[in-house]
Amino acid sequence: MKSLHLFYKGILFLFVLSGCGKTLTDTNISPNTLLAEQVNPAFIMTQVISGSTMTMGLTEFAGNTTQSVLSAAMQYVQQDFSGIAITNTFGWKSGDWAYRQFYLALSNAAYLETRATGAADSAFFRGVALVMKSYWFGYYTSSWGDIPFSEAMKGTEGVLKPVYDNQKDVFKGILNDLETANATFKKATSVTTFTQSADILFKGDVQKWRAFANSLHIRFLMRLSEKTNDMQAIGVDVKSEFNKIVADPVNYPLIVNSSDNAAVYFPGTSALDSWPLGSFNQPDPSVYYRLKPGEPIVNFLKNNHDPRLTVWFKPVDVPTIIRDAGADEVIMKDTDGKVKRFLKTYQEGVDTSLYVGLKVALPNPDTYNKKTPAAVNTVKTLDPSIYTAGAANPFVSYLASMFRDNTNTNLPVVFISASEVNFTLAEAAVRGWISGSAVNYYTQGISASFSQYKISDGDNKVYNPGTHQIEAFDKNGFLAKAAAAFNNAPDKILPIMEQVWVADFTSVEAWFNWRRTGYPNLGKNIVSGPQGEKIPVRFFYGANEKNFNGDNVNAAIQNLQPAVDDQWSKMWLIQGTGKPW
């Protein structure tokens, strides 16, 4: 896992290069600029990785209300104070690829591929380009449906209105590119020191890039689990291709240890290179406070005595205790000097846990857990250090303090992780695609997630909901209990998807897996959704595409079921599957 520091050093070096070393052929070139073909492809590679990091960081979890909607859809968080109609109740806006240059990471990856030819480290650059193109094409088609692929990024060739390829053909092309990427990296027998320094993901480690490529390969093969017959008809044997990769780790290495995750963290030296929710980018803390944990993820972690609960979330600022303190409700300092709320008798709907998440799609989340303006004012008077400004609810948990940091090694952007790969292998074993122990892959996936968040055996990070105490983590006991539950599960896909949902916290991947399998059943948690228990299954095309490439966009819309461009229509990937609803 690397940081973005090298990107900014690289840009500085680029400007240094532009002002020196002039030759006769440079006479008409400004000393403060470089032509595109003069830029070292290493700088382009840095831009591809750093741009992908920032774009995905904003999309997955830390963006504004219109950028980051999937974290609420997957019930990791809910929002109060503002933006509720967009996030909590799925009033999504159109997904315009031009919005904040969302297309740029893919465009730069495509450009890197063209510049790789004839360059030093050309095989390495081409491999990187193919991997990052595949990553983004896979994300785009999984999110929207039919997209430009065969004619994408060909504006310089005069293709200004690219066709929208059928989704199955896009996936076939992605799988071919990832196979090519793995083979291309084999030709990169060595990587120059300069290129290594420009690679802010793996420092020029070819083997890790190959593992990234192959891990993406099995991700997308598993994404096609409900469409194997359709893919077979166009020449892709999903099961055999998956088995071929897993059965040959020498030629197809995978990311199986969290230390090898394809992840980049933010160094946090300025707003340009900081975690988007940190103080550099969000001076107003209410932006952080309005994102509150969702009750489903909080309760799942609590019920399983999972240490990730205390890593990701804070206990409530003001605990609620059922004890007669005189009136029906009393907020005061207890004998330990801490502010607490005392209720004479239990009141329906009140959560007395130290970790409280917001219910999903509440009509008025601002008042959850019996919050009132008077109660907040009392808390403020008793202890001014407790946050009581915009979006405050001292009776509901907040995200952990690390989410306000400008940099934190627990908050990288993860393109793909060892936990995901192991869970994918577990599912493949359950489906009979590969040999090997499904339960071992399953527990290795859980263990990899713990490692990703630096959780070790014996850490005092486990909340006991019965005693309200923080206890030591018994890792072996936790994994043994998880293995027993897995072995006893009638449908073993369910526990895998539950752990995928947990491990993918802050990631978009849980949405794709929930949509594909219907697990976990998140719809049942919705209190007041616009379509009952339904959660959106796609983004819809933006205005720019419709205005400038209307015929091809409209043809793509006709392939949806129903043929309506909204977040509720099903793309080919889930049509006819009965999933997720």
Side-chain angles (χ1 to χ4, degrees), residues 143-198:
S143 299
W144 278 270
D146 294 356
I147 60 168
F149 181 78
S150 60
E151 294 184 350
M153 306 299 163
K154 293 186 177 180
T156 57
E157 300 174 31
V159 181
L160 303 180
K161 295 183 178 181
V163 298
Y164 279 51
D165 295 278
N166 290 333
Q167 192 174 36
K168 60 185 175 183
D169 295 319
V170 176
F171 273 111
K172 181 177 181 178
I174 292 168
L175 297 175
N176 286 337
D177 281 351
L178 288 169
E179 182 74 27
T180 302
N182 183 53
T184 301
F185 279 125
K186 290 181 183 179
K187 301 174 184 177
T189 54
S190 63
V191 178
T192 63
T193 302
F194 185 80
T195 295
Q196 291 175 26
S197 69

Side-chain angles (χ1 to χ4, degrees), residues 271-351:
L272 288 173
D273 67 356
S274 292
W275 170 250
L277 284 179
S279 57
F280 277 138
N281 285 298
Q282 298 293 350
D284 180 1
S286 71
V287 177
Y288 155 79
Y289 281 105
R290 77 183 63 161
L291 276 178
K292 298 188 171 62
E295 183 185 72
I297 186 73
V298 168
N299 286 355
F300 184 89
L301 295 172
K302 278 194 301 189
N303 293 340
N304 288 283
H305 292 219
D306 193 314
R308 288 171 288 191
L309 174 75
T310 64
V311 174
W312 295 340
F313 308 125
K314 287 183 179 180
V316 296
D317 282 340
V318 178
T320 299
I321 299 171
I322 308 303
R323 184 195 304 169
D324 188 352
D328 289 341
E329 178 179 323
V330 178
I331 299 175
M332 65 181 190
K333 286 189 176 181
D334 202 358
T335 55
D336 60 2
K338 295 180 179 179
V339 178
K340 297 175 185 176
R341 178 174 65 177
F342 297 91
L343 302 180
K344 182 178 292 187
T345 58
Y346 176 74
Q347 300 175 23
E348 186 177 357
V350 172
D351 192 331

